[in-house]
Amino acid sequence: MMVLRKSYLDKIVPFIDQDLIKVLVGIRRCGKTVLLGQIKDVLIQRGAPAQNIIQANFESMRFRNARTAEALYDYITEKASGCFGKIYILLDEIQEVERWQVAINSLRVDFDCDIYLTGSNSKLLSGELATYLSGRYIQIQVFPFSLAEAKQQCLENGTYTSDEKLFADYLKYGGFPQRFFLPDEHSIATYLDDLYEAIVVRDVMLRHGIREQTALRNVLAFLLDNIGNPFSARNISGRMVSEGMKISTATVLNYVDYFKEAFILLNASRYDIKGKALLSSTEKYYAVDLGLRNVIKKSEKLDSNKLYENIVYLEMRSRGYEVQVGKLDDTEIDFICYRGNEKLYIQVAYLITPADEEREFGNLERLNDNYPKYVISSDLVDLSRNGIIHRNIIDFLLNP
């Protein structure tokens, strides 16, 4: 049994029975389908009749005849004909339905209903058809398990041994929920490799009609090798050309857009703290899951600093923060995190040596405001100073 994804349910519950479509987006197999089932359970607990809950998963052949706007509308209409009172519509992988926005908008208008959707495409609600739903939806991004959710699942499974072993396992194999039910490391690696193929082939190559697979896979491998480094499409193109593979800067940019669309990569824009402006170049990219990254990255190098940076980025995103990279003159603040009226700064390091301490804490001490400031590392000794809070990374991830 999969753990209750309470942090996401807490975001959704206030919008139950509101005239807003609830849209859950995220990479394939991150747990959206199970979360949709947990939403169904909440609806029933709140008094919704089970027969008034209409579900469909468009990855299933069972619903192959409902994959156009007209067919979907007719399917829901037929199912709703025997219902009394409000109906609840839960549709999984809605991007498989042609012109789905038209059907959803019409259902919203024609029925007393509450609608929940999932999708594996970040551009689900962009483009011309999205105008049908403009201002009528909320979007919540779903991520693979956080470390805290992974611990809860391992406790449920009876496989938990210690926080330290859990963290080492998470750094290597990530948080895709299904992998916690597999019996050994070989099975997990096989699962992640197959998942990568499904995502890259189905959500990138087939969707965009890409024939040159080698170039695309090499660009993705390069990006995953360089998580947390400033991004330059020109540099990647030059690197590929030097290795005998002709690829233009424009093609690299297109590929990166496709990876973002499929949620394989997530970006953090750079923000000039003094100039109070977003910088148009040198944004950074992070892997949506370290297990997926470690299976497909091109090199075997282990850069703990980058892995820690990636994991903290994912943690803050899963907590609902917008995350940017800060530029302060010629220095960098790893993350500036925003959530509503909240704002905080984070520096991330593997271990803090005496030489590192001045850089990690000194950069934060140069900030002239009173927002919370954190340094996160694997050190066990509390190195907090001058109002800057030092947190051990495992403690930070398990105890928000």
Side-chain angles (χ1 to χ4, degrees), residues 243-307:
E243 294 178 357
M245 185 171 296
K246 187 175 181 181
I247 182 171
S248 69
T249 300
T251 299
V252 171
L253 289 170
N254 285 337
Y255 287 171
V256 170
D257 196 41
Y258 302 157
F259 300 145
K260 289 165 61 179
E261 186 179 319
F263 295 108
I264 303 169
L265 292 176
L266 306 169
N267 71 299
S269 55
R270 291 174 66 86
Y271 181 76
D272 186 339
I273 296 172
K274 279 194 172 180
K276 299 185 184 302
L278 284 173
L279 301 173
S280 59
S281 61
T282 62
E283 61 185 348
K284 292 187 175 185
Y285 286 92
Y286 297 94
V288 72
D289 181 81
L290 289 181
L292 201 65
R293 182 255 182 187
N294 292 337
V295 162
I296 64 179
K297 70 185 183 71
K298 195 172 183 180
S299 78
E300 295 301 318
K301 65 182 179 183
L302 178 65
D303 188 338
S304 296
N305 279 307
K306 293 301 180 186
L307 294 180

Side-chain angles (χ1 to χ4, degrees), residues 305-367:
N305 279 307
K306 293 301 180 186
L307 294 180
Y308 277 30
E309 192 176 317
N310 202 128
I311 207 172
V312 170
Y313 171 86
L314 290 175
E315 179 69 20
M316 300 312 292
R317 288 291 307 272
S318 68
R319 292 181 189 181
Y321 286 88
E322 176 190 351
V323 181
Q324 297 175 342
V325 176
K327 176 183 178 296
L328 183 63
D329 295 327
D330 58 347
T331 62
E332 184 172 276
I333 306 299
D334 286 336
F335 300 126
I336 312 172
C337 306
Y338 306 88
R339 185 174 66 183
N341 293 325
E342 294 180 63
K343 179 179 178 180
L344 56 90
Y345 301 97
I346 296 176
Q347 290 284 88
V348 184
Y350 173 53
L351 286 170
I352 300 177
T353 65
D356 294 330
E357 185 173 353
E358 189 54 42
R359 180 181 69 248
E360 303 298 348
F361 285 87
N363 287 1
L364 294 175
E365 287 168 348
R366 295 179 60 196
L367 295 167

Side-chain angles (χ1 to χ4, degrees), residues 146-159:
S146 66
L147 186 68
E149 288 176 317
K151 180 177 180 178
Q152 190 178 353
Q153 189 64 67
C154 290
L155 288 168
E156 292 266 352
N157 296 349
T159 57

Side-chain angles (χ1 to χ4, degrees), residues 1-3 145 153 156-157 159 176-184 187-188:
M1 181 177 177
M2 193 175 292
V3 299
F145 278 168
Q153 189 64 67
E156 292 266 352
N157 296 349
T159 57
F176 277 103
Q178 185 60 43
R179 73 94 170 166
F180 291 93
F181 297 89
L182 299 175
D184 52 48
S187 300
I188 294 170

